[in-house]
Each structure stands twice: as structure tokens, then as C-alpha cells.
């Protein structure tokens, strides 16, 4: 899709948009370069503008009733497709505003250099360099690095003029060699600028600026400490995405028809002569559905909309335990009846289910021959990655005025659903070594949640609880193990596969499915792995593969690994995956809970014959 600068308009463009600057893929507009994220285009830097500046033209909306209800919106809209036409684009704004010249060393705003969108040059003829450093706060605010304050707050500001310059003295590769000087005589390096309280100690506070929403969109009164970040830092933007599988009845053709015409049908369905009124609509006359079925579907849609539980805040920091997620378990487990071919969901038993036994520990395998996932960008955070129990204040706004829609993408693919034998799981998780290892991970997760709450300024952290238990770590590590194995067996890149976990007191399940909408999305190769015969072979090979790691013995004997020490026996040489494939950023993994420990018998769920 095209990226355009709405602030750079010629007279002929004022009613459309600015010049085309570049493009990104649709999926990137939700996961990587969404609203508020910084994007480098050639030698310039921009921040992706708010939803107010997105132009969709005739792009058709995406409907997913369950997710719409959960997020409180009427529809989702896919990022506009790549076109040269002006009516489809995503707006961007120049950021950071501070630039420097590599030759004359001047450091000032873009406009002070006299540069234009088509001529990114200093008066001396050298191309300008956007500031490498920005500042942000945990509430999502973003601003230029305060070079003037950094230089003068510690010293008395002498009489001007105050013309800044920045150069690298070459003394080292650290920030000590990056020196800012002023024409008033003050000089200071950027050493120490990245310390957590470096700016706070100088009295520099957050100004609440939101450059992605425009110059006058600041939120006054922010009390968070601002932190220095590199412009390309991963901590500068964390997407808060929510996803849902289309499941019956919302995945069938009748409900898809109703959703497309819900604005017409919703009002008519409340009339006493609803069937007669709805039957007069041209779209209904041309559809294969009866008016009675349509009225019933509209009323069913209303019940979902009025269900307040759908809009309730998440209370668990891991979505696998959430009731919204668990609603997908039964359709996956029990399968679907024969459809008319237009449904977005089809789950069936393996053809050899009656003749071949599953590997010990698995209770059920289902071939998900067709599925649809909708992923929506709800908000974003900075500095601290999002978690489901975060204060709403941390979620940065996507628009100046709240919208009744959110940007989203839909993925059509296939997958394999596995359910673990809950009786065996219940017996296994009572073992001392199993409880010991799972408890270590859970305690570290609670510490991480408390530390995050303290950094956010939350006063009470006594109620912070982690839902992580042995069965979750088991299902999660097994999903990673199978993704690695099936990427080899079926020829899929590991990054094109994704996990979806379902864990409760009575259920343990996992879905491995295609996560891309390109040619690797639905080729049938993944579904073929869900036969009982295939699972017997692939499970044996997968478990044998992770029984030894090239980083052993340190990997297996590790007492802590991964982000916030939330892993035990896990590394990129054995069970870790590309970040896009994992729900929890490669945390809560321990292959010892699958295959056992060398010095302790009975730790592994699949240990033994």
C-alpha cells in the first residue's frame, strides 16, 4: 500500500493527499508498521499517521462478529491495497523533526534547514540525516530528543544565539564520542542518555506529544518518565493485536451474508412483520436463503452484540486461558458438519482415525481443512511490551477521534488441531519435579508482571497472578516442537506456521496452522500431517530431535533462560521459533517437560515407551 505525507500538499493535491513516498505490505500495517510506528523510507524517516489519515477508496470491510463485539467496533478495514490512485493510501508524518548535516555538522529542525519533501538536503548540498535518537514514555507518547535541554539543563544557559552542532569525535564506538555543542560555548556528549532516569534527573518531563496524530494532538498532564531510544529500536513500538478464528455459526455462508447487509437487516428484524419486510430487499430476493433463516440469523447476531461479556476487559495475561479463546475449542474438537462449500471453517477427523491409534498422550487429532483468522490492531504501547492486564492508559490511541472500526487483516489457511489426554496430564502434573519446574517459571512470570506494574506506576501489585502451569508449558513446547518438525516434513518455512493454544482446568489443546496469506497459506501439506499414521511418525521424530540439543548440556541444565528468565531447557537450537510463530514471544518453554531430565525419571510427559 502507498505511504503518503498529508502535510506535504501542492495546490492540486489538497483535496487528495501528498506525494507517494513508498509502500509496505498489508500485514506490516498491522504487525510491524502500524499507526504510531516509525518507518524509514530511503534517507528519510516518518511516523505512520493515525486512522484519520487512512484512505480506503472502495476497499471492502472485513467482518468477524465475535471479534467486533470483543473490541467494540462495527467492522474492520484492511489496509488499502497498493495503488497509484490518490484515494487509497496511508498517511505518514515526518518524524523526528531534528536533523543533522554530516558535513557542516548543524543540528536543527528539518524546516530550519530549508529542506523540502523532494529535496532532503542541507544548504551546503549534503543529504540530511534524521536524528538517531528519540524519547518516549510508557503511555505511548513520542518526541524528539531534547538536545538543547540535554546540553543546557546542567549548565547555566548563556546568552544566545544557540546554534547546535553534533559530531562524532572518533574517540570510541560508544555514545561518548557523539558530542553536541552550542554556539554559546557548552559542549556535552550523549554518554548516559539511555539511562532510565537520565532525562528525569535533568527535570525533562513528558510533553504528551503524539506526532502520528498531528502537531496539536498532545495529551497534557502525562506523569511518566521519558526514556531515550534509538529511532529503530524495537521498544519504540509494540503492537497490541487481537485475533479470532471464524467459527460456526459465524463462519457459515448465511451469517456472512447477514453481516454484509447488517445495516439494512438489523432494523427490519425488530418489526412485527420482519420476514415480510426483509423479503422485499433486493439482496435477499437474490440470495439462496429463506427470510425465516435470515431473521433468525439477525436475531442471533443481536444477542451476540448485546452480550456485555464480549466487551469485558481481559483479566489474564495469557490469551490461551481466556474464555474468548476457549470458545474456539469445541468447534475444533468436535468438528463441523458438511457445508455448502462457502464456509470459512471446516474441521474433520483424520481418515485413519478408526484404524490407527494416536501416540500416547494425545486424545484427538482433527484436520482443519479450512480456517479464517482475523487479526486487528487495537492499539500500541512503547517502552514496555503490552500485556492483557495493562492499565488502559498505556494503550496509545490510533486516531484523534475514536473510530467505530479498526485496521485488520484476514488470513485463510489450514491447520492441525491436537487435544492432549487430560487424565494423563492431570496425573503427570502432580509429580514433584514437574511441579518444581513449572513453579519456577510461574514465579518468574509473576515477578515480571509485578516489575512491569511498578514501572507503570501501579500502586498495588499484590493481586498480580500468573496463570502459567505445567500443562500450559507442555502444550506450548509441544506446539513449538511440531512446528519445527512439520516445517521440515511438509516443506513449510517455520515462519509461515503459527500456534494457537487452548488451556483450562479440563482442556489442553493446540492448533498449528498456516499464518500467511501467500502461496504457503493453503497447500494441503499441513493438513496431511494430522493423520494418525503421520502423527505416529512425526511425533516420534520430533521428540527424538529435541532429546538432544547442540547447546547441551548447558541448555538442558539451565536454571533460567530467555526473556525475564521465563524459559528453562529451551534455546534457538532446539525449540524456539521465529517471533511471528509464537504467541508469547518465545517464553514459557521447557523441553524437559516433554522428554524428561537425564538425572530425574518421570519429568517428561512423553518420557518412556
Amino acid at each position: 500500500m502507498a505511504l503518503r505525507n498529508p502535510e506535504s500538499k501542492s495546490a492540486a493535491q489538497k483535496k487528495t493527499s501528498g506525494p507517494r513516498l513508498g509502500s509496505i505490505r498489508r500485514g506490516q500495517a498491522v504487525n510491524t508498521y502500524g499507526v504510531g510506528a516509525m518507518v524509514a523510507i530511503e534517507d528519510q524517516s516518518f511516523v505512520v499517521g493515525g486512522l484519520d489519515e487512512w484512505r480506503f477508496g472502495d476497499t471492502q470491510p472485513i467482518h468477524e462478529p465475535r471479534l467486533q463485539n470483543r473490541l467494540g467496533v462495527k467492522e474492520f478495514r484492511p489496509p488499502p491495497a497498493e495503488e497509484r490512485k490518490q484515494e487509497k493510501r496511508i498517511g505518514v508524518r515526518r518524524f523526528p523533526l531534528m536533523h543533522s548535516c554530516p558535513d557542516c555538522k548543524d543540528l536543527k529542525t528539518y524546516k530550519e534547514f530549508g529542506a523540502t519533501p523532494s529535496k532532503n538536503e542541507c544548504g551546503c548540498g549534503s543529504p540530511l540525516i534524521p536524528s538517531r535518537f528519540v524519547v518516549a514514555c510508557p503511555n505511548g507518547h513520542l518526541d524528539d530528543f531534547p538536545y538543547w535541554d540535554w546540553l543546557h539543563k546542567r549548565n547555566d544557559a548563556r546568552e544566545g544565539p544557540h546554534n547546535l552542532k553534533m559530531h562524532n569525535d572518533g574517540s570510541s564506538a560508544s555514545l561518548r564520542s557523539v558530542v553536541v555543542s552550542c554556539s554559546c560555548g557548552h559542549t556535552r556528549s550523549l554518554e548516559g542518555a539511555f539511562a532510565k532516569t537520565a532525562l528525569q534527573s535533568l527535570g525533562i518531563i513528558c510533553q504528551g506529544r503524539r506526532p502520528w496524530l498531528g502537531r496539536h494532538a498532545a495529551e497534557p498532564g502525562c506523569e511518566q518518565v521519558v526514556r531515550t531510544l534509538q529511532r529503530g529500536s524495537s521498544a519504540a513500538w509494540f503492537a497490541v493485536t487481537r485475533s479470532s478464528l471464524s467459527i460456526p455459526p459465524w463462519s457459515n455462508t448465511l451469517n456472512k451474508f447477514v453481516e454484509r447487509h447488517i445495516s439494512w437487516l438489523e432494523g427490519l428484524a425488530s418489526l412485527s412483520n420482519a420476514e415480510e419486510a426483509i423479503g422485499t430487499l433486493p439482496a435477499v430476493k437474490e440470495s439462496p436463503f429463506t427470510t425465516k433463516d435470515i431473521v433468525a440469523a439477525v436475531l442471533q447476531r443481536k444477542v451476540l452484540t448485546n452480550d456485555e461479556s464480549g466487551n469485558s476487559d481481559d483479566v489474564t495475561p495469557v490469551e490461551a486461558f481466556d474464555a474468548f479463546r476457549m470458545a474456539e475449542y469445541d468447534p475444533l474438537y468436535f468438528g463441523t458438519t458438511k457445508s455448502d462449500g462457502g464456509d470459512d471453517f471446516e474441521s474433520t477427523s483424520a481418515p485413519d482415525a478408526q484404524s490407527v491409534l494416536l501416540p500416547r498422550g494425545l486424545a484427538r487429532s482433527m484436520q482443519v481443512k479450512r480456517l479464517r483468522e482475523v487479526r486487528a490492531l487495537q492499539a500500541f504501547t512503547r517502552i514496555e511490551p503490552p500485556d492483557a492486564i495493562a492499565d488502559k492508559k498505556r494503550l496509545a490511541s490510533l486516531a484523534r477521534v475514536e473510530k467505530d472500526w479498526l485496521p485488520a487483516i484476514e488470513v485463510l489457511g489450514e491447520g492441525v488441531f491436537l487435544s492432549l489426554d487430560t487424565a494423563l496430564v492431570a496425573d503427570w502434573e502432580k509429580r514433584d519435579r514437574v511441579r518444581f519446574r513449572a513453579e519456577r517459571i510461574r514465579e518468574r512470570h509473576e515477578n515480571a508482571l509485578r516489575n512491569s506494574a511498578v514501572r507503570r506506576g501501579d500502586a498495588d501489585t499484590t493481586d498480580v497472578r500468573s496463570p502459567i502451569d505445567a500443562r500450559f508449558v507442555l502444550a506450548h513446547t509441544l506446539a513449538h516442537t511440531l512446528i519445527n518438525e512439520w516445517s521440515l516434513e511438509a516443506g513449510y518455512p517455520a515462519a509461515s506456521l503459527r500456534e494457537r493454544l487452548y488451556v483450562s482446568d479440563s482442556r489442553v489443546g493446540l492448533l498449528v496452522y498456516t499464518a500467511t496469506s501467500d502461496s504457503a497459506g493453503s497447500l494441503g501439506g499441513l493438513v496431511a500431517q494430522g493423520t494418525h499414521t503421520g502423527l505416529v511418525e512425526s511425533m516420534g521424530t520430533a521428540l527424538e530431535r529435541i532429546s538432544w540439543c547442540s547447546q547441551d548440556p548447558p541448555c538442558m541444565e539451565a536454571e533460567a533462560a530467555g526473556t525475564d528468565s521465563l524459559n528453562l531447557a529451551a534455546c534457538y537450537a532446539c525449540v524456539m521459533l521465529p517471533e511471528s510463530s509464537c504467541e508469547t514471544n518465545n517464553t514459557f518453554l521447557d523441553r524437559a517437560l516433554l522428554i524428561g531430565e537425564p538425572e530425574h525419571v518421570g519429568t517428561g510427559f512423553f518420557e518412556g515407551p
Side-chain angles (χ1 to χ4, degrees):
M1 74 209 63
L3 301 176
R4 301 179 189 276
N5 188 347
E7 296 184 328
S8 305
K9 301 179 182 178
S10 65
Q13 294 170 330
K14 286 184 178 179
K15 294 185 179 180
T16 55
S17 62
R20 183 179 184 277
L21 298 171
S23 64
I24 58 176
R25 297 190 300 275
R26 271 185 164 179
Q28 289 180 311
V30 172
N31 299 312
T32 311
Y33 298 120
V35 173
M38 286 175 281
V39 54
I41 303 175
E42 296 182 350
D43 60 346
Q44 303 183 66
S45 176
F46 301 88
V47 62
V48 178
L51 300 182
D52 314 271
E53 294 157 8
W54 289 36
R55 299 293 178 264
F56 295 89
D58 57 356
T59 303
Q60 294 298 311
I62 295 173
H63 295 288
E64 177 50 45
R66 291 177 63 242
L67 193 58
Q68 289 167 210
N69 184 50
R70 185 190 193 195
L71 300 181
V73 296
K74 291 184 177 180
E75 64 184 21
F76 301 109
R77 297 184 185 179
E82 171 66 26
E83 281 193 15
R84 297 287 174 175
K85 296 180 180 179
Q86 297 280 6
E87 69 268 15
K88 290 188 178 183
R89 53 90 169 169
I90 291 179
V92 296
R93 296 177 180 273
R94 187 173 299 280
F95 185 85
L97 298 181
M98 294 296 290
H99 285 61
S100 61
C101 174
D103 286 345
C104 63
K105 312 301 182 184
D106 282 352
L107 175 66
K108 51 190 177 183
T109 65
Y110 181 80
K111 288 186 176 181
E112 289 177 310
F113 277 105
T116 65
S118 59
K119 188 178 180 181
N120 186 40
E121 293 181 356
C122 175
C124 69
S126 296
L128 295 176
I129 301 175
S131 171
R132 290 169 51 196
F133 312 107
V134 298
V135 295
C137 86
N139 285 343
H141 300 133
L142 185 67
D143 206 350
D144 281 275
F145 182 84
Y147 290 101
W148 194 94
D149 289 336
W150 177 256
L151 189 59
H152 295 93
K153 282 281 188 178
R154 182 175 292 179
N155 306 296
D156 294 332
R158 301 168 184 171
E159 293 186 3
H162 295 283
N163 299 317
L164 301 181
K165 289 183 178 290
M166 184 167 67
H167 69 281
N168 192 316
D169 62 17
S171 60
S172 69
S174 67
L175 289 175
R176 182 182 302 176
S177 64
V178 181
V179 178
V180 179
S181 59
C182 179
S183 56
C184 72
H186 288 313
T187 299
R188 187 182 182 186
S189 77
L190 290 182
E191 184 179 19
F194 282 80
K196 292 182 179 180
T197 59
L199 300 181
Q200 182 185 33
S201 64
L202 295 177
I204 300 173
I205 61 175
C206 180
Q207 301 297 316
R209 292 199 173 97
R210 301 184 293 177
W212 65 96
L213 299 181
R215 301 172 185 171
H216 307 294
E219 291 182 315
C222 179
E223 300 178 354
Q224 292 286 351
V225 176
V226 289
R227 294 274 303 276
T228 304
L229 300 173
Q230 291 203 57
R231 177 160 45 90
S233 169
S234 60
W237 191 82
F238 294 103
V240 178
T241 58
R242 300 287 183 254
S243 69
S244 172
L245 295 186
S246 294
I247 57 174
W250 316 112
S251 60
N252 63 37
T253 53
L254 170 59
N255 275 280
K256 289 195 291 182
F257 171 82
V258 167
E259 193 64 33
R260 286 197 302 270
H261 304 286
I262 192 66
S263 58
W264 295 352
L265 299 173
E266 205 166 27
L268 297 178
S270 61
L271 300 177
S272 58
N273 60 337
E275 291 187 28
E276 180 182 347
I278 286 177
T280 62
L281 297 175
V284 173
K285 291 180 178 180
E286 298 172 3
S287 74
F289 311 111
T290 67
T291 54
K292 183 177 182 179
D293 289 339
I294 291 174
V295 171
V298 174
L299 295 177
Q300 187 180 40
R301 176 72 175 84
K302 279 189 172 182
V303 171
L304 175 67
T305 304
N306 295 330
D307 181 11
E308 295 183 359
S309 63
N311 282 322
S312 63
D313 295 333
D314 290 329
V315 293
T316 172
V318 181
E319 286 201 71
F321 298 90
D322 192 76
F324 180 85
R325 169 70 62 83
M326 290 304 297
E328 301 168 1
Y329 185 93
D330 282 348
L332 288 166
Y333 185 91
F334 294 106
T336 53
T337 57
K338 187 176 181 180
S339 69
D340 58 10
D343 291 4
D344 287 328
F345 185 88
E346 182 182 356
S347 178
T348 62
S349 299
D352 58 353
Q354 301 300 320
S355 57
V356 180
L357 292 176
L358 283 169
R360 179 186 173 278
L362 299 184
R364 197 175 187 88
S365 170
M366 299 295 287
Q367 294 178 310
V368 187
K369 297 180 179 179
R370 188 184 301 118
L371 62 78
R372 171 180 178 261
E373 181 193 20
V374 175
R375 302 177 198 153
L377 177 64
Q378 181 186 18
F380 65 89
T381 66
R382 303 193 196 276
I383 308 295
E384 293 284 341
D387 62 70
I389 60 174
D391 184 353
K392 277 188 174 182
K393 189 177 180 181
R394 282 192 65 218
L395 302 183
S397 300
L398 300 183
R400 289 188 292 272
V401 179
E402 188 174 353
K403 305 293 182 182
D404 62 359
W405 59 272
L406 289 172
I409 58 172
E410 58 180 347
V411 176
L412 303 176
E414 62 185 18
V416 174
F417 174 77
L418 300 178
S419 176
L420 274 63
D421 188 322
T422 53
L424 292 179
V425 170
D427 290 338
W428 165 80
E429 63 186 352
K430 294 176 183 177
R431 300 174 187 174
D432 291 341
R433 285 297 297 180
V434 173
R435 294 170 61 184
F436 172 75
R437 295 183 73 90
E439 187 68 12
R440 290 168 71 182
I441 295 177
R442 187 192 63 78
E443 288 177 354
R444 290 165 184 169
H445 186 217
E446 289 188 350
N447 288 335
L449 292 174
R450 289 192 187 96
N451 292 337
S452 178
V454 170
R455 288 192 293 267
R456 294 195 305 265
D458 295 348
D460 185 11
T461 61
T462 57
D463 291 335
V464 173
R465 294 290 183 270
S466 169
I468 299 301
D469 55 14
R471 60 177 58 199
F472 176 84
V473 179
L474 170 65
H476 190 203
T477 311
L478 178 60
H480 278 229
T481 302
L482 290 175
I483 287 175
N484 279 328
E485 181 64 24
W486 288 345
S487 69
L488 299 174
E489 292 291 332
Y492 287 90
S496 72
L497 301 180
R498 193 177 178 92
E499 67 179 3
R500 200 168 180 86
L501 305 175
Y502 305 86
V503 181
S504 70
D505 292 338
S506 59
R507 298 171 175 179
V508 184
L510 60 98
L511 173 68
V512 175
Y513 64 105
T514 51
T516 61
S517 55
D518 59 14
S519 58
S522 184
L523 300 176
L526 182 58
V527 166
Q529 304 301 313
T531 64
H532 288 206
T533 303
L535 281 169
V536 170
E537 181 177 349
S538 61
M539 281 285 292
T541 306
L543 294 174
E544 182 180 359
R545 193 184 303 277
I546 66 167
S547 65
W548 181 84
C549 172
S550 61
Q551 300 300 316
D552 279 340
C555 177
M556 176 59 76
E557 297 175 358
E559 296 185 0
T563 305
D564 292 323
S565 300
L566 296 179
N567 291 333
L568 289 177
C571 70
Y572 278 105
C574 52
V575 296
M576 284 190 176
L577 294 174
E579 295 293 339
S580 60
S581 299
C582 179
E583 286 195 312
T584 60
N585 297 317
N586 275 321
T587 55
F588 314 124
L589 298 167
D590 182 12
R591 61 191 173 96
L593 293 185
L594 269 68
I595 59 172
E597 303 172 89
E599 298 180 358
H600 299 276
V601 177
T603 304
F605 181 73
F606 297 102
E607 187 176 351

